[in-house]
Amino acid sequence: YGPGDVEEHVRRRAENAKLFEAHECERTQADGTTIHIKRTPLPDGCLLSVYSDVTAAKNSERDAGLAKAILDQLPSPVFCKDDQRRYEFCNAAHLEIYGLTWEGAIGTTGAQTIAADEVEAYKRSDEHLLSTGEKFRAEHQIKRADGAVLEVVTNKTRIKTPDGRMHIVGSIADVTDLKRHQDSLRETREHAESDRQRLLDAIAVLEEGFAATARGAALGGTEAANKAVSAMGNIEKSSRQISDIIGLIQEIAFQTNLLSLNAAVEAA
């Protein structure tokens, strides 16, 4: 009975036995073993006591409680089903996303959370997973209890426990925001591609305009060059004429000077 006065342990238990009443309790021994004790009064005045070692069950219960406490902290829904496709476990996120309670989910197949036209396909996917072990992944929509529609990815896999039973373990990832960002990115890319095409079209128009302008400039330049050559020829011709005129003027001036000198001589 553990530490304490032996006589006191015996006295207390003897008094409980004398009450001759049904009684159940659990006792954890020093080595960690948990014993379940059930006392039942019999018609002939005897008291039947049944001692059961429930250590494994208590450890499983403790481990399950710890696992639930941990998994309830996860933001993503997580669940486990038995080989009959019935929920054995759902974390808080899974219950919340479908608007379920623990009592309302455990032991059910989850058909109440699925659209009627998808129940059969959902059943087939579970059965295929249990029979083949092939992992399951699907993108689909979930309608929350509050009416919001979520884009999710469900992953399911098969595991085998030491007792040889098969189980389905699954998780649901909310990708609503990711899909929204992907859609926004796709729209942005489409707009960018459209803008890029418009830019290319504009550049093509400009290039065509520049080419036409360049051709016009080339043609006009040739004409201008021809005109410049002609003008230069005219200038050269005019220069020669001017030069001849200047020579003529100089000659006239010389002759005039000579005549003036002759006149002066004659006058003298």
Side-chain angles (χ1 to χ4, degrees):
Y1 293 119
D5 182 67
V6 175
E7 295 299 328
E8 177 60 23
H9 280 305
V10 173
R11 185 194 64 78
R12 189 167 66 250
R13 283 163 179 77
E15 289 181 353
N16 290 336
K18 291 176 183 178
L19 293 175
F20 207 66
E21 295 176 348
H23 177 70
E24 288 187 54
C25 66
E26 288 182 355
R27 183 173 72 248
T28 301
Q29 297 178 298
D31 62 357
T33 303
T34 301
I35 303 298
H36 179 267
I37 305 169
K38 183 177 182 179
R39 294 189 177 94
T40 306
L42 299 179
D44 59 359
C46 295
L47 189 66
L48 175 65
S49 296
V50 179
Y51 294 79
S52 303
D53 185 346
V54 294
T55 306
K58 293 298 291 185
N59 288 342
S60 295
E61 182 180 335
R62 183 193 64 226
D63 293 343
L66 178 60
K68 185 177 186 306
I70 293 173
L71 293 175
D72 278 345
Q73 303 306 311
L74 296 179
S76 299
V78 177
F79 61 89
C80 179
K81 291 183 174 183
D82 61 17
D83 54 3
Q84 299 300 312
R85 304 177 42 252
R86 296 171 300 202
Y87 281 121
E88 296 177 297
F89 173 82
C90 300
N91 72 341
H94 190 278
L95 297 174
E96 190 270 336
I97 200 173
Y98 286 111
L100 299 174
T101 62
W102 178 268
E103 295 76 13
I106 301 304
T108 71
T109 62
Q112 72 272 31
T113 66
I114 307 170
D117 58 344
E118 298 177 0
V119 171
E120 189 60 32
Y122 193 78
K123 176 184 177 182
R124 286 197 302 271
S125 71
D126 279 352
E127 292 176 343
H128 181 75
L129 175 61
L130 286 169
S131 63
T132 66
E134 294 181 6
K135 292 184 178 181
F136 174 86
R137 184 184 187 278
E139 297 184 14
H140 57 102
Q141 292 183 336
I142 286 180
K143 187 174 183 180
R144 291 174 53 105
D146 58 8
V149 177
L150 304 180
E151 298 284 347
V152 300
V153 175
T154 295
N155 289 281
K156 295 187 291 188
T157 189
R158 186 187 73 178
I159 63 170
K160 184 178 181 180
T161 48
D163 59 6
R165 295 176 58 210
M166 297 296 180
H167 304 262
I168 297 174
V169 176
S171 64
I172 300 174
D174 183 354
V175 295
T176 305
D177 290 339
L178 178 61
K179 294 281 287 185
R180 186 181 300 115
H181 291 324
Q182 286 178 339
D183 292 342
S184 177
L185 180 60
R186 184 174 61 255
E187 291 177 1
T188 301
R189 285 175 175 172
E190 289 175 354
H191 287 315
E193 182 60 28
S194 178
D195 291 342
R196 176 177 174 275
Q197 189 57 50
R198 286 199 296 269
L199 178 60
L200 291 175
D201 292 342
I203 291 174
V205 171
L206 289 173
E207 287 178 343
E208 184 178 354
F210 289 149
T213 302
R215 286 194 300 272
L219 295 175
T222 301
E223 183 179 355
N226 292 334
K227 289 182 178 179
V229 171
S230 175
M232 290 174 65
N234 292 335
I235 291 171
E236 184 182 5
K237 182 179 179 180
S238 298
S239 297
R240 287 198 300 269
Q241 291 177 346
I242 291 172
S243 179
D244 292 341
I245 292 172
I246 292 173
L248 179 60
I249 291 172
Q250 290 177 341
E251 184 179 353
I252 292 172
F254 176 77
Q255 292 179 356
T256 302
N257 290 335
L258 183 57
L259 292 173
S260 296
L261 178 58
N262 291 335
V265 171
E266 290 177 358

